[in-house]
């Protein structure tokens, strides 16, 4: 009789445990995963649509005083093929096979792509930096109170190890200004606006960046996004 009673109790415990497990699993499945501030900023700029993008082409321009610099990139996101075109040359390479002959070109691509798609880099690079999010911080250019998201890259690897970026944005998570601080120094090396946004195939891209303290504009022309 005692043995039967013990078995009955065990059956009840197992039954309750199974129901609890199912209930917990159902609750977890029905509860939406809380996204990080990195994902919120990226998604506000169309990151959810990036998976559908097959090719992106753009011309990176810099005007400083009376000088002008430009180079055009075509990036096949599926095959990882990149083509750089300048007035002097055309170079094609694959980002999965960068070597000593293409490292310099790839460094230029990484720089220009970062300016174009920095909100997406917050997700792509999230394992390579630490970050801090604060609210009601005075933005350096507009002097308006905004969110501030600071990312500090690891000291090893990449093209700019140890560098820091401060992103400033409103409650809509759209970046309005940012600051670059080399080697995470206290004072910024460069502060620019983020403006003239364009929506292309679901991506929300800032095409103009200006410095308030000098005659400097970094901007994008000929931006084409194909699915």
């Amino acid at each position: 009789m005692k043995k039967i009673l013990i078995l009955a109790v065990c059956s009840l415990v197992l039954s309750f445990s199974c129901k609890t497990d199912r209930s917990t699993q159902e609750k977890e499945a029905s509860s939406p995963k809380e996204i990080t501030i990195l994902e919120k900023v990226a998604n506000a700029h169309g990151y959810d649509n990036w998976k559908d993008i097959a090719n992106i082409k753009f011309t990176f321009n810099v005007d400083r005083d009376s000088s002008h610099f430009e180079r055009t990139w075509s990036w096949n996101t599926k095959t990882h093929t990149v083509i750089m075109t300048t007035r002097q040359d055309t170079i094609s390479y694959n980002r999965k096979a960068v070597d000593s002959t293409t490292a310099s070109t790839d460094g230029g691509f990484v720089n220009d792509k970062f300016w174009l798609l920095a909100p997406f880099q917050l997700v792509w690079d999230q394992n390579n930096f630490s970050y801090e999010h604060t609210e009601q911080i005075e933005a350096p250019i507009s002097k308006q109170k905004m969110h501030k998201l600071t990312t500090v890259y690891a000291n090893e690897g990449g093209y700019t190890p140890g560098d820091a970026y401060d992103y400033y944005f409103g409650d809509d998570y759209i970046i309005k200004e940012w600051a670059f601080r080399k080697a995470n120094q206290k004072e910024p090396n460069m502060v620019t606006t983020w403006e003239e946004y364009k929506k292309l195939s679901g991506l929300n891209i800032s095409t103009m960046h200006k410095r308030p303290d000098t005659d400097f504009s970094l901007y994008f022309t000929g931006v084409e996004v194909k699915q």
Side-chain angles (χ1 to χ4, degrees):
M1 181 67 181
K2 182 182 291 186
K3 187 174 182 181
I4 294 173
L5 182 60
I6 291 173
L7 288 173
V9 170
C10 288
S11 297
L12 284 172
V13 170
L14 286 172
S15 175
F16 178 77
S17 176
C18 289
K19 289 179 181 178
T20 302
D21 287 345
R22 283 197 297 271
S23 176
T24 302
Q25 291 170 359
E26 289 171 359
K27 185 176 181 181
E28 289 177 350
S30 62
S31 301
K33 178 186 175 183
E34 184 176 353
I35 63 175
T36 66
I37 187 64
L38 305 175
E39 294 169 311
K40 288 178 180 178
V41 174
N43 290 342
H45 294 81
Y47 180 71
D48 286 342
N49 299 306
W50 180 257
K51 63 184 183 299
D52 302 320
I53 306 305
N55 187 274
I56 184 166
K57 183 179 180 180
F58 59 92
T59 298
F60 174 88
N61 303 268
V62 176
D63 289 345
R64 188 193 303 270
D65 298 323
S66 60
S67 67
H68 175 77
F69 170 83
E70 69 177 62
R71 56 190 169 196
T72 299
W73 301 94
S74 179
W75 176 26
N76 187 310
T77 64
K78 306 304 181 184
T79 66
H80 309 289
T81 300
V82 174
I83 301 173
M84 182 194 74
T85 305
T86 66
R87 294 175 181 174
Q88 296 78 30
D89 205 357
T90 297
I91 298 175
S92 177
Y93 72 101
N94 192 288
R95 297 209 71 220
K96 292 292 186 179
V98 175
D99 56 24
S100 59
T101 63
T102 56
S104 177
T105 302
D106 189 59
F109 174 70
V110 168
N111 175 81
D112 299 0
K113 174 176 66 73
F114 197 99
W115 277 94
L116 185 75
L117 302 174
F120 298 172
Q121 298 290 161
L122 293 173
V123 176
W124 293 335
D125 294 345
Q126 62 183 307
N127 294 326
N128 299 324
F129 60 68
S130 60
Y131 70 92
E132 181 181 6
H133 172 224
T134 51
E135 298 183 39
Q136 294 298 305
I137 301 297
E138 185 179 277
I141 298 175
S142 66
K143 305 304 180 183
Q144 296 179 356
K145 296 293 185 179
M146 296 188 189
H147 292 259
K148 178 183 178 183
L149 174 64
T150 295
T151 61
V152 182
Y153 279 78
N155 288 320
E156 296 181 0
Y159 289 101
T160 57
D163 291 343
Y165 298 85
D166 302 316
Y167 301 81
Y168 297 88
F169 51 90
D171 292 336
D172 60 358
Y173 302 104
I174 299 296
I175 299 170
K176 301 295 192 300
E177 306 173 21
W178 78 342
F180 164 69
R181 295 182 289 112
K182 186 172 179 59
N184 196 22
Q185 66 182 35
K186 184 176 180 180
E187 295 300 321
N189 299 83
M190 178 183 290
V191 180
T192 74
T193 61
W194 278 61
E195 50 189 296
E196 295 186 22
Y197 276 88
K198 292 183 179 179
K199 292 188 177 181
L200 301 165
S201 298
L203 308 186
N204 194 19
I205 296 175
S206 171
T207 60
M208 175 62 73
H209 307 279
K210 296 180 179 179
R211 292 180 61 176
D213 55 345
T214 185
D215 185 9
F216 172 94
S217 297
L218 187 155
Y219 56 99
F220 296 93
T221 55
V223 183
E224 300 176 9
V225 181
K226 295 181 180 180
Q227 296 180 335

